[in-house]
Each structure stands twice: as C-alpha cells, then as structure tokens.
Amino acid sequence: MQEYFLLFIAAIFVNNIVLAQYLGNCPFIGTSKNTGVAIGMGAAVVFVAVMATAITWLVQTYLLEPLGLGFLQTLAFILVIASLVQFVEMFLKKMVPPLYKSLGIFLPLITTNCAVMGIALICQRKEFTLVKSVAFAAASGVGFMIALVVLAGIRERLEIRRVPRAMRGTPVGLVMAGLMSLAFFAFKGMI
Amino acid sequence: MITTSALTLFGLGFGSAAILSVASKLLYVKEDPRIAQVEDLLPGANCGGCGYPGCSGAAAAIVSGKANAGVCVVAETEAMVAIAALMGQTIEEREPEIAFRDCTGGTRAEERFAYAGIMDCQAAAMLHGGSKSCPEGCLGLGTCVAVCPFDAIHMGPEGLPVVDPDECRACGKCAEACPRGVISIVGMTSRLLHLNEVTDCLAPCRQKCPGQIDIPRYIQQIKAGDYDGAVNTIKERNPLLMVCGRVCPRPCETVCRRNNVDSPVGINMLKRFVADRELHGGTHLPVPCAKDTGRKVAVIGGGPAGLSCAYFLRRLGHSPTIFEAMPALGGQLRYGIPEYRLPKADLDWEIQGILDLGVDVHLNKRFGKDYDIESLKQDGFEAVFLGIGAWQASGMYAEGEDLEGVWGGIEFLTAHALGQSIDIGKKVIVVGGGNTAIDCARTCVRLGAEVIMLYRRTRAEMPANPEEIVGAEEEGVQFKFLAAPTRVVGDENGRATHLEYKMMELGEPDASGRRRPEPVEGSETLMEADLIIPAIGQKPDLTCLYDDDAESCPVETTRWQTIVADPDTFQTIVPGVFTAGDVFTGPDLVISAVGGGRKAARSIHYHLQQDGDIPIPDTLQRDLIPYTMFKEVTGVRQSERAQMPHLCHGDERNCTFSEVEGALSETEALAEADRCLHCGLTCYDRDMEQPEEKEQQIL
C-alpha cells in the first residue's frame, strides 16, 4: 500500500509530468486560459492516459516483446493511442453524450498529446506491472490536471492585470509555467 | 525480422482500422451538418464575447436554438443574415446597446489609502473596498480597459473609463470585470426600466427627485451647450419637463450640496430653460420607442400619472390607450393649475408630443359609467392603469359649509378652467395654506376680488412654495394667520355671507413636527365674504370604482380614500391592475405622479413580458443615503443664484392670466449650470485654487 502511495505522490508532485518531465507543454499552455476549460482538459487526460497505458502495456507485453520487436514501441504506441482516442470519442459520443459534451474538443486534442504517450513509455521503461502502470497513469494524469488548473487560475488573474503588450498571452503564460516548474522542484526533497 | 516488423505494424494498423470501422458503423451519431456551416459563417475570432467557449460552441448553440443568429458580437450584419437564412430565422432590428459608465467621481473622490502593488480593481475592491472614500464609485485602475477585447474603452483624463461607442460590441466583459458595478451594458429599454439603486452614482438631488431624473447629467449637458442632450436626459424619466419646469416645488433643491455654501443650484430653472428651448423651437425632439409588441394597455385618467404611464408604455413598445373623463387631457395640470402659472397652450403642446408617439385617447369617457375593468378586458386590454387623481375637496368640518357660496378649492379651479362663470362677488375668503389655496387666491385677485387667506398656523409653517406666497402678497392677497374657520353664516336665501373664525395659538409639536394650533376661547369673530373657498386638502373620488349598489369595490382602499397597492410594483390586489399618482399616494407633487406613472409602466411591462414576474432590485433606493448628506461642503466659493425673471408687472399682473414667470437667458442658464458641483455619492467639484491664494499660502 505504501508503495502505491509513494508512487502517487511521486507522480503528482515530484515527477510531475508537465512541470518536471516537460511533457505535454502544448495543451498545458493552450488550454490554461480558463479554469473551467483546464478542469475539462485535465479530466480528459486522466481518462485517456489510464486507458492508453493499459492497452499499450498489453501490446508491449503480449505482442512486441514475445516477437522481439521492442524497437517498434514508439510507432506501435502512436498507432494504438491515436486509434484509442478515436474509439473513445466515438464510444462516448454514442453511449455517454453528457460526458462527451463535457470533454468536448479536448478528446481529439489528446491524440497528439505527448504526455499520454510519455506516461505509457515511462511505465514500460520502469517495467511496471499492469496494475502499477494504471495507477501511475492515473496519478500522472492528476498531476497534469493540478498543474493545468493552477496555471489557469494564475492566467485568469493575469488577464486583468497590466501586462506589457509584448508579454501578454502565451509569453507570460510560459514565464508562469517556468516559475511553477521551479516551485515544483521543491518537492524533490519529499521522497 | 523486417517481415515480422512490417506484418506486426500492418496487423496493428489493420486491427485498429477494423475496430474503428466497426465502431464507426455501430457508434455512428448523426450530427447536424448546419453546425459546421454556421461555424464557417462566423468570423472565427473565438473571443468568447458571445458567452460560449469559442465559435464552434456558438455554432452548436445557434443550431440547437439556444442562441440566435445575432449572438456573435463580432460578426457583421452580412454574416448574421446568412446565419439566419441557414437557420430559417428572420432578422429583426435589435435595440442598440452599449457600455455605460454611471460614476461621476474619478479622481474627484478622495483616496482612502495608497496602493502597495495591488493594481487591479477586483483586488483593490476586496481589500477594504478599494482606495476611494466612495464605497460605490470607480477605482480608476483600468481593469475594464484591460479586459476589453475590442479596445473600445480607455481611461480618460478624469480617471474614469471612457467608452468609444463606435468600437463597443456590448460583449459585457468590462461590466463583468468591474467590482463596483460602475459599468453596465444598457440600451434604451433597460435605461427606462432602471430604478434608482443605492449602488448607483446618486447625487443628493437624484436621490430626492421623485421622478429619479439624472439631474447632474443634464446640468453637465447644459454646461457643455448640449441642450438637446439635456432634454433627452430629462425625457428618459419625465415626459412633462415643460410642465415641471413651471410648477415643480423642487424637492431636489432642498438637498443640493450648495445649500451648505450659499444657495441651491436653480435646478428647475435649468430644466425650464431647456424645455422652453424645445417649446419655442416649435418641434418636439424625436423620442425613440422600442419595437411594437402589440400589447394593449388601458390607462384610466389623463393626468400627469396617466400621461407618464402611457408615455413610458409607448416607449417600451406597448400600445396604451388613455381614457379621460374630462373634455381634455392634463388632469389637474389643466383643471387645478391656473393659466398664469401654466399656460394651456403650452400644456397642449407638451401633451401632443406624448400623443404623437402613438398613444390613443378617448375623451369624455367616465370610468364606472361608460366602461369598467371587465369591459376593458373584453376589448383586449391586457393590463389596466388606474390614475384617476384626487378630485374631491376636503371639507372644513365647519357648520354651514354646504351653503351656497362655499366652493371647494379644486372644484373652484376646475370650474374656472372649464370657463364656467362663477359669481365670486367682491370679498373672497380662502381657507388653507397650500399651493392650491394660493392658486385660488391669486385666481380670485385676477377676477377682481379682494382676497383674504385664512391659515391656522403661522406664515413660516405654510406648505405653499415661498415664491408663491410672496407672489400672492405682491398681488394684494391679505393673510390672516393663526385663524381657523368655525362656522359659515348665511342669509335667509341660504347663501353664505360671513365666515366665523377662531384665533389660534401654537401648542406642542404634533406628528408632523409642526406645533399644533389650539383655539383661543372666546376669540370668535365674523368676517364678511361673498365667496368662501376651503382649500385645505383633496382626496380621491373612488365612487367610480364601486358597483351600482355602492358596496363592492374590486380593489382595496384606505380610509384616506386611496387605492392600496404594492409600494414597489404599484400592482393592486387585482392582478394586472396597477395604480399611481394622487389616487395611490394622496395629494402629492406633479413629479411624484410622473415618477409613479413610470414605475407603474415598468411593472406593466414586466407583467406583460414575464407573465407577472416583476423584479425589484435588492439595492433599491427608498430613502436618502445618509453618508451622502453633507453638513459641510469645503473648497467651494460662493456664487449668486440666478433669479427667475417676471413677465408681468404692475396692474397687468393682477388683471390678466398671462404667465407670471419667465425663463433664464442662455447666459444666465450657463452661469447657473456652472454653479453645479457635479456631485456623485461623495465626490463633488471643488474650485481650483486661485494663483493669488497660492501665493498667499507660500508667503
């Protein structure tokens, strides 16, 4: 139990997927202008990351490794994640329209989200079991969501502040992301 | 190895494609193709000004019917027409709206503390309410400027946001960002429907005016030479500006901050100045009205309350019809106010301006006799406004007051206005101290009689306007104070010949705060009179509301013979029946009736448009706001108040019914407007320091 607890804390704070691993910066900056949008995107990442990690683990363990095709990992994972996102989108649209509407544009955005891909690859590199991989994926997704929501809160306030014209929007967003990243480095001493 | 790799990837790809193909067949959801088409027609600005997250959200909302074709604040008319055509909608002209800043303070409001780095309005407002001594006014930090996506707002030199009407798209972001509610998005309808709230920038005069006229605004417009703008500002609250410019007793001036310096600004003189300018221009300035709603409303009574109600209903797009019992409109403006104070020709002109908007009129139609509420409903009227005034004179409660030769004040004035010949004789006694009593006395002087006014208190306690009292005195009216009538004495023909009165002395203050007059025993004296006019009060005549058996009345009434209604909505216990004016308040000012008429029109509008749900603001202003009533006004130099010019002099004044008071000249009006301190809740204009004063301070 302690192992999973540490895994969670490490994935959320110490090795935060976006602030410590620098993965998923595009959606991080692109969808952090509004807290509501940030929560939607964060939820979508958690959902897709968990599903993608589980399926890629199965593909790696039962297809690529037995055939000695580990070098195809990246290509295979891209294929699987893109297809999975498309499938999930269709499934939710038909079966759970309210959830589909709440995720909205974020599901297709995740197709090209390297954070999801990164989570799947990290699980393989660290040779996690299926259950651990899923737990790690969920924790990393939550870490992404927390970073996104915090940055959105900051940027909402920046909207009404006197920011030099050249720094408005993405530039000041990146500066804030950098500062947040520095702040998250302080968690390194936790574990 | 290569073959295995290729086959594996192919297999994975094929497997995925197969799964997706099957899924797309099984999970296919038909999507309205119009969403994409509408999105193509939108400008793609993704500004969020429409309230939806981006253009795709707006397109989906349009197709699902949650938003109309004009929801985009950026799209031009062309795009709007194309979207409407796609959606099978028709484009209707929408009332233009724009961001409006209601604060006069800016840098004139004193700072409470200096900022230490928190430079946005919301943070400043959360920290002790902001930097300014005014708890409601603009903080001047420009948050609204920062959030405007269209660069339509900038900070002006006075530290207040200035809106560029050409660039404003009424997206509402500035209003949303402002923590003080200083900025709102308003169109004509919302301005007409707005009631004074304590969070508005209410100068004392605005708080006191029963018509809620934006007085500082129109005085500033006069000062800037924008006389038409001033007329329009007044007409947003009062369609009878020419009338009020002549007869209003100016409650606003009693709370003018200049009272603490020298004398109040001649607010009413300025109103009359611009009103007369419009009058002498010969044409009414155009008054915009909202699009026709086709809802019919019956307005019973063509006095100031009824005219005001009909005017505002018409401006809100409804179709009012006025039913008037008398041969002409105007109510007590026509039949209770003498010609020398309010010329009938001018009154006709002003009323015609209201009727020209599209108000129907039925004259000589008496409520309760020619029609009633039921018959009005059958004729398609969806709401009724009762503004039947207070036409019954109160009695003196003196023995013999029913003798011939005793006329109630309002009855006398009405008979005179109708041109009936009244034998007033040579000596007239008018009992009372209000404006109606003075009107009766001055009318009798003009008809050639010797007039004595009997009032039971002292001159200082007379409720009539001081100028009216002085005017009556100058025209030869004699006063007998501390005298109350006890008995009317008549001859053998039943005609009054004398009035017996008792002298009074003032005792302890009564509920009104005035000292109660008490009779001096044995002081009874007889005074000769050909005509006795008791003008000591009026009350509504409610007989028209009762059935033939005079027992049942559809609305609730009070013991003062007024109609009971909700004090905020003016709705009676009968849904859809509203009231205002003297029949609701008891005898009151013209401007009170005008204000009541507007408030009733507002309620009727909501009653018709929202199925009876009439919203009342939480911060409604009901009384004067204590912290805005200053005892001391510093930094203002004294200046002389303008004097209203007299038009008639000498004998001409007593013998004719020509108008007595004139209007200010343009130079006088500009000088008087310059005396206005342009007050807000706590701020006002202080005079600039003179160079010599500065030098003296340095020395």
Side-chain angles (χ1 to χ4, degrees):
Chain A
M1 198 65 206
Q2 192 189 1
E3 192 187 356
Y4 281 95
F5 178 73
L6 289 174
L7 184 74
F8 258 86
I9 296 297
I12 293 174
F13 297 108
V14 183
N15 298 315
N16 186 288
I17 194 77
V18 61
L19 295 174
Q21 318 262 10
Y22 310 115
L23 290 170
N25 265 310
C26 302
F28 185 55
I29 296 297
T31 60
S32 59
K33 288 179 189 161
N34 177 292
T35 320
V37 172
I39 292 170
M41 182 66 181
V45 167
V46 173
F47 181 68
V48 175
V50 169
M51 290 205 60
T53 305
I55 293 178
T56 51
W57 190 92
L58 293 172
V59 169
Q60 176 77 20
T61 310
Y62 295 111
L63 185 67
L64 300 182
E65 279 180 8
L67 294 174
L69 298 173
F71 59 90
L72 284 178
Q73 193 182 48
T74 309
L75 272 177
F77 281 18
I78 288 174
L79 190 67
V80 168
I81 292 172
S83 307
L84 173 72
V85 171
Q86 291 295 312
F87 179 80
V88 168
E89 192 181 351
M90 280 191 271
F91 179 80
L92 291 181
K93 199 172 182 181
K94 177 80 175 179
M95 309 307 284
V96 202
L99 181 60
Y100 173 77
K101 275 186 186 163
S102 68
L103 293 176
I105 189 81
F106 306 118
L107 269 176
L109 275 178
I110 292 166
T111 311
T112 52
N113 185 349
C114 54
V116 176
M117 177 81 169
I119 292 166
L121 290 173
I122 289 168
C123 288
Q124 296 304 325
R125 198 176 299 162
K126 294 195 174 179
E127 296 179 354
F128 288 154
T129 61
L130 178 62
V131 177
K132 220 172 188 179
S133 295
V134 168
F136 177 79
S140 296
V142 170
F144 182 85
M145 189 175 179
I146 288 174
L148 199 58
V149 171
V150 171
L151 184 66
I154 294 170
R155 292 184 73 182
E156 275 185 351
R157 279 150 188 77
L158 280 174
E159 277 290 301
I160 55 167
R161 299 295 299 276
R162 286 192 176 122
V163 177
R165 190 170 284 273
M167 289 293 288
R168 278 187 203 162
T170 306
V172 76
L174 281 167
V175 171
M176 285 298 139
L179 292 172
M180 277 177 65
S181 187
L182 281 176
F184 267 66
F185 266 106
F187 290 117
K188 283 279 183 199
M190 276 180 68
I191 298 172
Chain B
M1 179 61 78
I2 293 171
T3 314
T4 315
S5 302
L7 283 172
T8 305
L9 276 181
F10 179 77
L12 262 179
F14 185 78
S16 300
I19 291 170
L20 287 176
S21 301
V22 174
S24 64
K25 180 76 181 167
L26 293 175
L27 302 173
Y28 175 70
V29 177
K30 193 178 177 188
E31 193 177 55
D32 198 325
R34 291 178 302 174
I35 294 177
Q37 290 169 345
V38 170
E39 196 175 347
D40 285 345
L41 293 168
L42 291 169
N46 279 324
C47 63
C50 56
Y52 294 96
C55 298
S56 54
I62 292 170
V63 172
S64 64
K66 289 177 188 160
N68 59 47
V71 69
C72 180
V73 294
V74 183
E76 301 293 331
T77 317
E78 218 171 277
M80 206 189 300
V81 171
I83 295 168
L86 186 67
M87 295 302 302
Q89 295 173 347
T90 50
I91 293 283
E92 287 181 0
E93 195 180 348
R94 195 177 69 176
E95 190 183 298
E97 289 190 333
I98 202 164
F100 174 76
R101 178 250 304 158
D102 182 30
C103 173
T104 59
T107 51
R108 302 178 312 147
E110 288 171 17
E111 297 279 339
R112 184 182 292 169
F113 60 86
Y115 286 108
I118 304 165
M119 293 297 283
D120 86 79
C121 296
Q122 285 170 340
M126 287 168 81
L127 185 64
H128 306 301
S131 70
K132 299 287 167 61
S133 59
C134 177
E136 310 293 346
C138 180
L139 293 166
L141 297 170
T143 301
C144 50
V145 177
V147 296
C148 179
F150 305 106
D151 287 334
I153 194 162
H154 68 273
M155 292 308 285
E158 292 174 326
L160 292 167
V162 178
V163 178
D164 179 351
D166 295 331
E167 296 298 326
C168 181
R169 298 285 184 275
C171 69
K173 284 193 182 296
C174 52
E176 206 177 297
C178 179
R180 299 294 192 90
V182 164
I183 298 183
S184 50
I185 305 298
V186 291
M188 182 196 68
T189 301
S190 52
R191 285 200 308 271
L192 295 179
L193 294 173
H194 184 79
L195 299 177
N196 272 4
E197 295 180 40
V198 290
T199 47
D200 294 341
C201 182
L202 299 177
C205 49
R206 266 181 90 179
Q207 296 176 40
K208 186 77 176 177
C209 175
Q212 302 194 341
I213 301 173
D214 191 344
I215 294 167
R217 184 176 162 83
Y218 83 71
I219 295 183
Q220 287 303 306
Q221 286 170 318
I222 293 173
K223 201 169 155 182
D226 179 12
Y227 305 130
D228 289 353
V231 168
N232 289 332
T233 299
I234 300 169
K235 283 187 177 178
E236 284 203 350
R237 290 287 181 271
N238 179 4
L240 299 169
L241 62 169
M242 189 279 300
V243 167
C244 287
R246 281 162 171 74
V247 304
C248 189
R250 313 178 288 275
C252 51
E253 293 182 17
T254 61
V255 292
C256 176
R257 287 201 179 125
R258 264 212 172 266
N259 278 310
N260 298 306
V261 179
D262 39 43
S263 48
V265 175
I267 297 171
N268 207 44
M269 298 179 199
L270 291 170
K271 189 194 290 124
R272 171 154 180 188
F273 166 71
V274 288
D276 274 21
R277 233 176 147 271
E278 189 195 21
L279 172 72
H280 296 137
T283 49
H284 296 278
L285 291 180
V287 175
C289 293
K291 198 174 169 298
D292 271 344
T293 62
R295 317 295 288 263
K296 284 172 69 181
V297 181
V299 175
I300 301 165
L307 287 168
S308 166
C309 186
Y311 168 84
F312 286 106
L313 283 169
R314 185 66 207 100
R315 290 198 67 181
L316 292 165
H318 306 298
S319 304
T321 302
I322 300 177
F323 294 85
E324 170 60 52
M326 301 295 272
L329 289 177
Q332 301 217 348
L333 301 175
R334 183 180 300 279
Y335 300 107
I337 298 177
E339 176 85 15
Y340 67 88
R341 283 180 67 199
L342 180 59
K344 302 288 181 278
D346 295 349
L347 177 65
D348 287 338
W349 183 84
E350 187 137 77
I351 291 173
Q352 194 57 46
I354 296 171
L355 302 185
D356 287 347
L357 298 178
V359 176
D360 286 340
V361 180
H362 293 296
L363 298 173
N364 296 309
K365 296 278 179 199
R366 190 165 286 278
F367 181 63
K369 184 178 147 204
D370 301 316
Y371 62 97
D372 58 18
I373 291 175
E374 279 309 311
S375 69
L376 289 173
K377 280 186 181 164
Q378 283 165 12
D379 289 343
F381 291 99
E382 296 177 69
V384 176
F385 173 77
L386 280 171
I388 54 177
W391 288 82
Q392 205 175 66
S394 298
M396 293 187 288
Y397 303 107
E399 187 189 325
E401 66 177 311
D402 50 352
L403 288 175
E404 199 185 326
V406 180
W407 282 71
I410 187 61
E411 288 155 4
F412 169 76
L413 290 171
T414 303
H416 177 68
L418 284 168
Q420 294 171 5
S421 66
I422 308 159
D423 179 16
I424 67 165
K426 293 220 180 321
K427 288 195 170 185
V428 176
I429 299 175
V430 178
V431 181
N435 281 329
T436 306
I438 296 272
D439 285 342
C440 293
R442 293 177 78 174
T443 300
C444 290
V445 166
R446 281 164 174 75
L447 293 172
E450 185 185 312
V451 182
I452 296 179
M453 282 190 73
L454 220 63
Y455 182 53
R456 63 189 190 134
R457 299 177 199 254
T458 64
R459 180 186 177 124
E461 287 151 318
M462 282 182 80
N465 293 357
E467 295 86 351
E468 289 289 313
I469 301 168
V470 171
E473 204 168 39
E474 286 173 0
E475 289 165 13
V477 175
Q478 297 169 49
F479 291 89
K480 188 145 197 78
F481 297 107
L482 289 168
T486 52
R487 187 163 63 99
V488 178
V489 180
D491 58 16
E492 61 279 5
N493 299 323
R495 184 175 176 85
T497 56
H498 292 81
L499 179 70
E500 185 188 88
Y501 65 91
K502 243 183 197 178
M503 294 309 291
M504 312 295 275
E505 57 187 7
L506 294 180
E508 293 301 310
D510 61 11
S512 70
R514 297 180 300 178
R515 291 171 67 189
R516 186 193 298 275
E518 286 164 6
V520 178
E521 288 310 318
S523 62
E524 289 86 348
T525 313
L526 277 179
M527 188 187 282
E528 193 185 343
D530 298 316
L531 176 68
I532 299 166
I533 304 177
I536 52 177
Q538 289 156 239
K539 53 193 172 185
D541 179 4
L542 297 182
T543 49
C544 62
L545 290 169
Y546 285 83
D547 285 347
D548 289 341
D549 57 9
E551 278 178 9
S552 67
C553 171
V555 295
E556 194 182 339
T557 57
T558 69
R559 63 193 176 102
W560 297 282
Q561 289 183 217
T562 55
I563 294 175
V564 176
D566 183 294
D568 293 324
T569 64
F570 293 72
Q571 186 164 213
T572 65
I573 54 165
V574 184
V577 177
F578 297 79
T579 186
D582 287 358
V583 74
F584 173 58
T585 58
D588 207 338
L589 312 179
V590 173
I591 187 65
S592 302
V594 170
R598 180 178 76 90
K599 289 173 190 166
R602 172 188 180 274
S603 297
I604 293 170
H605 173 79
Y606 283 120
H607 175 79
L608 296 176
Q609 303 292 85
Q610 297 185 9
D611 293 331
D613 179 23
I614 304 168
I616 299 298
D618 293 337
T619 56
L620 193 67
Q621 184 229 335
R622 298 172 200 275
D623 300 306
L624 295 174
I625 305 168
Y627 70 85
T628 64
M629 298 296 140
F630 296 170
K631 287 184 178 147
E632 207 177 308
V633 173
T634 55
V636 179
R637 273 192 300 276
Q638 293 190 339
S639 65
E640 206 165 316
R641 178 181 155 108
Q643 296 291 322
M644 284 292 265
H646 284 279
L647 296 176
C648 299
H649 301 279
D651 286 347
E652 191 193 345
R653 177 167 168 175
N654 300 11
C655 308
T656 73
F657 280 90
S658 300
E659 194 169 12
V660 175
E661 278 190 331
L664 299 180
S665 67
E666 186 169 0
T667 315
E668 289 170 324
L670 288 171
E672 193 57 29
D674 202 40
R675 292 181 73 236
C676 175
L677 300 178
H678 194 210
C679 302
L681 280 162
T682 63
C683 57
Y684 59 90
D685 282 346
R686 289 171 175 81
D687 290 317
M688 297 293 285
E689 274 186 333
Q690 293 297 304
E692 55 268 32
E693 286 175 20
K694 275 187 182 168
E695 281 168 15
Q696 280 173 358
Q697 283 174 2
I698 293 164
L699 290 170

